[in-house]
Amino acid sequence: MRLKVTVPATSANLGPGFDSLGMALAHYDVYEVEVVSSGLEIQISGEGANSAAKDETNLIYRSMKLVFDSVGKKLPGIRLTCHNSIPHGRGMGSSGAAVAGGVMLAAGLLDNKFSEKQLLEFATKMEGHPDNVAPALFGGLTIAWVDELGPHHKKLTVHRGISPLVLVAPNEMSTKLARSLQPETVPHTDAVFNVSRSALLVAALTQSPELMMAATEDRLHQNYRASAMPETSKLIAALREKGHAAVVSGAGPSVLVLEDDPQKRLSAIEFVKKGFPTWIALALAVDFKGASLEGQPGSGN
Ligand code: HSE
């Protein structure tokens, strides 16, 4: 019994959409699970090969266990093989991918009996907020929100003129540290500012890419976190000054540029190569599919 899941990288927040908006990007981790008679064996190649946990504390494994626990079943013995391409600790959704992948693998072992809503619930419970796991699971641009019934999402198709560029930071940054820099309350004017920009961003990403500069402005998180990632702030300011719609990718420290034309993306890459040579430019397509499972479902006892 073998199952394989391919999970996209994601960029969350997208500027003003703190903890709400996210986009799936065509850059993938692949996780394979094989049911064995007993125990747990984890092999990791690529990103995190030397740093990610290879025991019961592994995030993919813990996400699988959460799903099995929810139906009162015990995980069988498994061999988990991870081929990782999503950089860790860079704001590109590596933990969201691990969680979404683990949830999908567990759902597959349990014969896929869960709804999209349940998959998102499991993943959000594990990740703490839904903005990375929603696009990792479902692809495209997602709006995620949480109410007393749990997390929900709406998937939207991104305008074909949008050309994302991820500038991968040379260093890592912890999401926990980034979140600790957020204030408890914000001025009402800043809340209004972000309400208008995130509404505008949905229009810019789906219909009117030419509005992207105004649509990617933010006052809810980026400035508060800037002291923890000064190079990121410097790069974003330099790019925005030249008309490139740059924002912090997720909790950082990488940068996402939402270009409205491929030519502008090339000029952003040239600019970064010259001024910020230690940053890696990834020109990525939007992923429309989300996590996809292959293999014969069932046999998770
Ligand atoms: N919305 C999250 C944050 C994304 O900015 O903290 C990172 O997990």
Side-chain angles (χ1 to χ4, degrees), residues 42-95:
I42 300 180
Q43 289 173 357
I44 304 173
S45 61
E47 300 289 339
N50 299 320
S51 51
K54 298 187 183 71
D55 56 17
E56 284 82 3
T57 63
N58 177 278
L59 190 52
I60 303 172
Y61 182 81
R62 284 193 287 129
S63 306
M64 294 179 74
K65 188 170 179 308
L66 178 98
V67 178
F68 271 74
D69 285 350
S70 78
V71 291
K73 290 197 172 175
K74 207 171 145 3
L75 253 177
I78 59 170
R79 183 177 299 133
L80 180 64
T81 312
C82 310
H83 312 276
N84 293 347
S85 297
I86 306 172
H88 284 199
R90 303 299 212 288
M92 291 181 67
S94 63
S95 69

Side-chain angles (χ1 to χ4, degrees), residues 12-13 18-19 127 129 131-132 175 179 225 250-251:
N13 301 331
F18 183 68
D19 277 1
E127 177 85 340
H129 39 88
D131 51 337
N132 282 108
T175 298
R179 293 184 83 82
R225 295 168 164 185

Side-chain angles (χ1 to χ4, degrees), residues 6-286:
T6 303
V7 197
T10 52
S11 187
N13 301 331
L14 310 179
F18 183 68
D19 277 1
S20 313
L21 297 179
M23 184 187 281
L25 298 166
H27 191 77
Y28 302 94
D29 276 0
V30 178
Y31 314 134
E32 290 175 86
V33 72
E34 192 180 345
V35 174
V36 295
S37 51
S38 66
L40 169 65
E41 188 191 321
I42 300 180
Q43 289 173 357
I44 304 173
S45 61
E47 300 289 339
N50 299 320
S51 51
K54 298 187 183 71
D55 56 17
E56 284 82 3
T57 63
N58 177 278
L59 190 52
I60 303 172
Y61 182 81
R62 284 193 287 129
S63 306
M64 294 179 74
K65 188 170 179 308
L66 178 98
V67 178
F68 271 74
D69 285 350
S70 78
V71 291
K73 290 197 172 175
K74 207 171 145 3
L75 253 177
I78 59 170
R79 183 177 299 133
L80 180 64
T81 312
C82 310
H83 312 276
N84 293 347
S85 297
I86 306 172
H88 284 199
R90 303 299 212 288
M92 291 181 67
S94 63
S95 69
V99 167
V103 166
M104 291 291 286
L105 288 172
L109 290 176
L110 292 165
D111 218 3
N112 281 331
K113 56 182 157 209
F114 301 105
S115 65
E116 283 196 347
K117 169 101 178 81
Q118 285 173 301
L119 295 175
L120 183 62
E121 267 168 29
F122 294 135
T124 304
K125 197 164 177 189
M126 207 63 212
E127 177 85 340
H129 39 88
D131 51 337
N132 282 108
V133 292
L137 284 168
F138 309 120
L141 164 68
T142 54
I143 305 171
W145 70 101
V146 181
D147 64 15
E148 63 285 0
L149 299 175
H152 308 264
H153 83 288
K154 169 70 184 164
K155 175 179 172 179
L156 297 170
T157 302
V158 176
H159 190 284
R160 53 202 291 205
I162 303 291
S163 308
L165 171 66
V166 178
L167 302 166
V168 185
N171 57 303
E172 293 188 19
M173 153 111 190
S174 100
T175 298
K176 200 170 164 200
L177 169 65
R179 293 184 83 82
S180 74
L181 300 171
Q182 297 285 131
E184 285 289 314
T185 58
V186 296
H188 194 267
T189 47
D190 288 356
V192 172
F193 184 96
N194 269 58
V195 168
S196 67
R197 297 323 189 272
S198 51
L200 188 61
L201 183 56
V202 173
L205 286 170
T206 55
Q207 298 172 9
S208 313
E210 72 281 1
L211 295 170
M212 203 59 79
M213 281 301 288
T216 47
E217 292 176 322
D218 155 67
R219 286 191 191 163
L220 280 192
H221 63 104
Q222 296 182 146
N223 282 346
Y224 296 113
R225 295 168 164 185
S227 60
M229 40 184 146
E231 274 293 293
T232 302
S233 302
K234 209 169 118 192
L235 176 54
I236 289 176
L239 284 165
R240 290 190 72 88
E241 205 203 326
K242 292 194 163 301
H244 300 287
V247 295
V248 178
S249 181
S254 297
V255 170
L256 172 73
V257 192
L258 290 166
E259 297 290 14
D260 58 8
D261 113 52
Q263 218 35 55
K264 273 176 79 180
R265 180 163 69 176
L266 285 179
S267 80
I269 294 173
E270 282 312 307
F271 175 77
V272 171
K273 266 189 194 157
K274 280 187 204 132
F276 296 80
T278 55
W279 292 61
I280 296 166
L282 296 177
L284 301 173
V286 177

